[in-house]
């Protein structure tokens, strides 16, 4: 209540203040949608006269109007700032603290209408910006934000839009001789997260930074038809070495092919992946996966990094995966030089049959696709089983002889058919014989509910809400090593 707040402010004298009222379950405050702008403004008016001694300000509000009494005051000792708005009413860009908050170090701004080149966003230690609303930056503002914060340790930019590809590109920074300015060296940055961003904004960030100490990189990019190489090539190359050099011993990779996305995660013996890249679009860029494989997995793409054969890779194809109508399959040949240990083909994957046939054909040099494959998980209809049997028999019984014996595919240690329809007994026994004597064979099971009612696989069941799919947030990858 107002009397309690006033009494507290009076008793605190000139002591530094921490103001925390955020509806995230930590501070137990009323959700901002439950407060009108008038009520929020009334509380803000009580706090505003004390801005000169506030060190930490953590607030959520329904609309920016209620916070203006606070945001328009200088904050000379403010060190921590976290602001969130719920309403998207646009009132013009806010001049945060009139540009006077020289001690500010940690900032989170969610749905706040501000300028990216604001004077208070300088000398920061951590920064998070997210916005569901239309407060787009220009490429020049992005550059200046980076220049003013070379000491950032973490940066997180999420769900930010741009005004338009052409206008955004036209605003790019150029030198008088037509060249580009040098990259901003961020020697303290360990974590960079760029998620749900358009291609042009991701490029504006990656094209302007040098991060030799990076340990965690999380990218979720909306390509919009752009060639993946124009982002991933010149702009990300400098990140590859620092990211991979931190690993020691075996590195584990999970590559997940979704309906409209490719997910790429590298683990260094940790629960959370230090490298996560998701390429998204309605029509996925085929060269995107090729670039990831070439630069992160193959020896010629790993500067100053230990041997590429330390990778253990898991491929997973979700239901309804349909990148490039199956034309992508030959690019998997690039993975022959590394250890793809596990492959999962979910039920209803449109190219499951093609993938299975691909595994059963050696090339003219007697090289088999994914020769290190030891774990195979297959879901879907029973008609896949005959092709699967032919493929596995070829891989097991290939007779090379002499020096070519080293090219023989690795024995299959795990064959998991639990998500397939019940198979003909002879076919199933033939498949069991394709597994190593010391290995594991999991028999197929009939799943009448999914196939008889037409609900499809669990991927499709989540499409009814029409929300964007996130193959990492909704499901945990299932991998057998």
């Amino acid at each position: 209540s107002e009397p309690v707040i006033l009494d507290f402010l009076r008793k605190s004298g000139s002591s530094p203040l921490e103001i925390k009222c955020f509806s995230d379950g930590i501070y137990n405050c009323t959700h901002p949608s439950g407060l009108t702008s008038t009520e929020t403004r009334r509380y803000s008016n009580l706090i505003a006269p004390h801005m000169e001694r506030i060190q930490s300000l953590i607030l959520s509000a329904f609309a920016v109007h209620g916070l203006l009494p606070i945001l328009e005051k200088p904050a000379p000792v403010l060190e921590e700032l976290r602001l969130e708005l719920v309403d998207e009413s646009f009132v013009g860009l806010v001049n945060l603290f009139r540009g006077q908050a020289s001690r500010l170090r940690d900032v989170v701004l969610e749905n706040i209408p501000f300028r990216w080149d604001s004077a208070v966003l300088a000398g920061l230690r951590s920064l998070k910006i997210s916005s569901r609303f239309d407060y787009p930056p220009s490429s020049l503002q992005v550059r200046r934000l980076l220049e003013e914060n070379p000491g950032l340790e973490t940066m997180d930019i999420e769900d930010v839009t741009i005004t338009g590809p052409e206008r955004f590109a036209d605003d790019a920074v150029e030198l008088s001789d037509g060249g580009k300015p040098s990259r901003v060296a961020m020697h303290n940055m360990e974590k960079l997260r760029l998620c749900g961003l358009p291609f042009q904004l991701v490029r504006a960030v990656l094209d302007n930074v040098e991060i030799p100490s990076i340990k965690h990189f999380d990218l979720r990019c909306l390509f919009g038809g752009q060639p993946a190489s124009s982002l991933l090539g010149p702009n990300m190359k400098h990140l590859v070495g620092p990211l991979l050099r931190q690993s020691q011993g075996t590195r584990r990779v999970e590559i997940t092919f979704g309906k409209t996305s490719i997910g790429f995660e590298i683990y260094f013996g940790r629960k959370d992946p230090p490298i996560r890249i998701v390429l998204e679009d309605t029509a996925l860029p085929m060269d995107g996966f090729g670039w990831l494989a070439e630069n992160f997995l193959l020896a010629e793409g790993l500067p100053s990094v230990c041997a590429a054969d330390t990778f253990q890779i898991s491929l997973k194809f979700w239901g309804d995966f349909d990148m490039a109508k199956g034309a992508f399959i030959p690019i998997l040949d690039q993975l022959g030089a590394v250890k793809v240990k596990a492959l999962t083909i979910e039920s209803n994957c449109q190219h499951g049959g093609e993938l299975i046939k691909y595994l059963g054909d050696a090339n003219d040099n007697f090289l088999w696709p994914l020769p290190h494959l030891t774990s195979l998980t297959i879901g879907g209809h029973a008609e896949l089983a005959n092709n699967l049997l032919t493929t596995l028999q070829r891989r097991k019984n290939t007779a090379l002889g002499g020096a070519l014996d080293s090219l023989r595919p690795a024995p299959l240690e795990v064959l998991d058919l639990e998500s397939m329809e019940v198979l003909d007994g002879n076919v199933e026994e033939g498949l069991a014989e394709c597994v190593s004597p010391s290995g594991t064979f999991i028999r197929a099971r009939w799943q009448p509910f999914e196939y008889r009612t037409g609900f499809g696989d669990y991927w499709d069941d989540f499409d009814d809400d029409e929300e964007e799919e996130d193959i990492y947030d909704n499901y945990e990858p299932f991998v057998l090593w």
Side-chain angles (χ1 to χ4, degrees):
S1 67
E2 290 184 45
V4 173
I5 294 174
L6 289 171
D7 184 57
F8 169 79
L9 292 172
R10 179 182 58 80
K11 290 180 179 179
S12 64
S14 59
S15 301
L17 295 174
E18 295 183 1
I19 307 297
K20 299 181 179 180
C21 185
F22 204 88
S23 60
D24 59 358
I26 298 177
Y27 302 113
N28 254 344
C29 294
T30 302
H31 190 275
S33 61
L35 292 175
T36 66
S37 292
T38 302
E39 291 172 319
T40 303
R41 192 179 189 95
R42 188 167 68 247
Y43 289 116
S44 297
N45 282 327
L46 299 178
I47 299 170
H50 302 271
M51 282 302 298
E52 75 281 354
R53 59 191 181 104
I54 293 180
Q55 286 186 333
S56 177
L57 184 61
I58 301 178
L59 297 174
S60 56
F62 181 69
V64 74
H65 305 75
L67 295 179
L68 288 179
I70 295 176
L71 300 183
E72 293 180 342
K73 292 274 190 179
V77 300
L78 187 64
E79 298 177 0
E80 179 186 23
L81 174 66
R82 179 178 177 183
L83 299 175
E84 180 196 41
L85 295 182
V86 174
D87 185 48
E88 59 184 292
S89 300
F90 187 76
V91 295
L93 298 176
V94 176
N95 182 15
L96 293 172
F97 311 116
R98 298 184 183 179
Q100 301 176 52
S102 59
R103 294 191 186 180
L104 198 55
R105 292 297 176 264
D106 302 295
V107 175
V108 176
L109 298 173
E110 301 186 30
N111 307 320
I112 305 296
F114 72 102
R115 286 183 62 91
W116 283 47
D117 54 0
S118 169
V120 303
L121 300 180
L124 301 179
R125 177 172 52 199
S126 65
L127 174 64
K128 178 179 179 179
I129 299 171
S130 65
S131 178
R132 302 189 306 273
F133 312 136
D134 191 15
Y135 310 131
S138 67
S139 60
L140 180 59
Q141 289 174 356
V142 173
R143 168 75 189 187
R144 289 185 176 166
L145 175 69
L146 297 171
E147 288 177 333
E148 292 297 323
N149 294 280
L152 276 172
E153 297 175 6
T154 65
M155 182 166 68
D156 186 341
I157 303 175
E158 184 175 356
D159 297 331
V160 175
T161 61
I162 58 175
T163 52
E166 296 80 11
R167 181 179 171 186
F168 190 80
D170 290 344
D171 190 40
V173 182
E174 289 191 2
L175 301 178
S176 56
D177 60 1
K180 291 185 177 182
S182 60
R183 295 177 183 270
V184 178
M186 295 184 156
H187 294 285
N188 297 333
M189 182 173 287
E190 296 188 351
K191 183 175 182 179
L192 176 62
R193 185 172 183 268
L194 306 171
C195 289
L197 305 182
F199 170 86
Q200 293 81 4
L201 182 52
V202 171
R203 184 167 60 183
V205 174
L206 296 181
D207 196 29
N208 282 296
V209 294
E210 190 81 33
I211 313 177
S213 56
I214 190 166
K215 294 182 179 179
H216 295 266
F217 180 56
D218 195 345
L219 170 67
R220 188 182 184 103
C221 183
L222 309 170
F223 269 85
Q226 297 283 344
S229 57
S230 63
L231 165 70
L232 300 176
N235 298 293
M236 277 183 57
K237 187 71 175 178
H238 64 285
L239 298 177
V240 175
L243 283 167
L244 294 183
R245 274 195 295 271
Q246 63 183 293
S247 68
Q248 295 184 6
T250 299
R251 297 188 291 267
R252 182 164 61 89
V253 181
E254 293 178 359
I255 305 175
T256 309
F257 296 83
K259 187 185 297 185
T260 58
S261 63
I262 304 174
F264 181 89
E265 294 186 303
I266 298 182
Y267 297 80
F268 301 148
R270 309 173 186 171
K271 182 179 179 181
D272 297 322
I275 304 173
R276 183 178 83 160
I277 300 173
V278 181
L279 310 182
E280 291 187 309
D281 210 333
T282 52
L284 283 170
M286 225 178 19
D287 64 328
F289 171 70
W291 189 92
L292 290 171
E294 176 184 345
N295 284 274
F296 281 94
L297 305 179
L298 304 183
E300 59 270 23
L302 306 178
S304 305
V305 180
C306 51
D309 66 359
T310 61
F311 278 108
Q312 293 186 350
I313 300 177
S314 166
L315 303 179
K316 186 167 186 175
F317 293 85
W318 291 95
D320 282 342
F321 166 73
D322 193 24
M323 187 178 81
K325 306 300 181 184
F328 80 96
I329 291 178
I331 68 175
L332 294 179
D333 288 342
Q334 298 180 67
L335 297 181
V338 292
K339 292 183 178 178
V340 178
K341 293 285 191 178
L343 171 64
T344 298
I345 302 174
E346 293 283 335
S347 60
N348 206 29
C349 175
Q350 296 190 28
H351 299 289
E354 294 170 71
L355 286 165
I356 290 170
K357 290 180 181 178
Y358 164 77
L359 294 175
D361 292 320
N363 64 20
D364 294 338
N365 296 320
F366 305 103
L367 298 177
W368 288 86
L370 310 185
H372 304 286
L373 190 67
T374 59
S375 175
L376 188 57
T377 302
I378 306 291
H381 295 288
E383 55 260 30
L384 292 174
N386 288 326
N387 287 333
L388 178 61
L389 178 58
T390 300
T391 288
L392 296 183
Q393 287 175 337
R394 286 179 178 175
R395 291 174 70 93
K396 179 181 180 181
N397 300 324
T398 178
L400 297 175
L404 292 178
D405 267 345
S406 62
L407 303 178
R408 189 188 303 274
L412 191 63
E413 300 295 336
V414 177
L415 180 57
D416 184 349
L417 305 180
E418 186 175 10
S419 295
M420 289 191 73
E421 292 177 306
V422 169
L423 305 177
D424 174 82
N426 292 331
V427 173
E428 191 165 61
E429 291 306 315
L431 290 169
E433 292 174 0
C434 294
V435 181
S436 167
S438 61
T440 300
F441 177 70
I442 302 176
R443 297 183 181 276
R445 295 184 180 181
W446 176 245
Q447 297 176 328
F449 179 78
E450 289 184 357
Y451 294 115
R452 289 180 180 175
T453 61
F455 275 90
D457 65 11
Y458 51 59
W459 180 283
D460 289 330
D461 293 343
F462 282 82
D463 289 349
D464 294 337
D465 58 11
E466 297 184 352
E467 292 183 358
E468 181 185 0
E469 296 149 326
D470 191 323
I471 57 181
Y472 294 104
D473 290 345
N474 289 337
Y475 316 105
E476 289 293 328
F478 173 67
V479 182
L480 290 172
W481 297 103

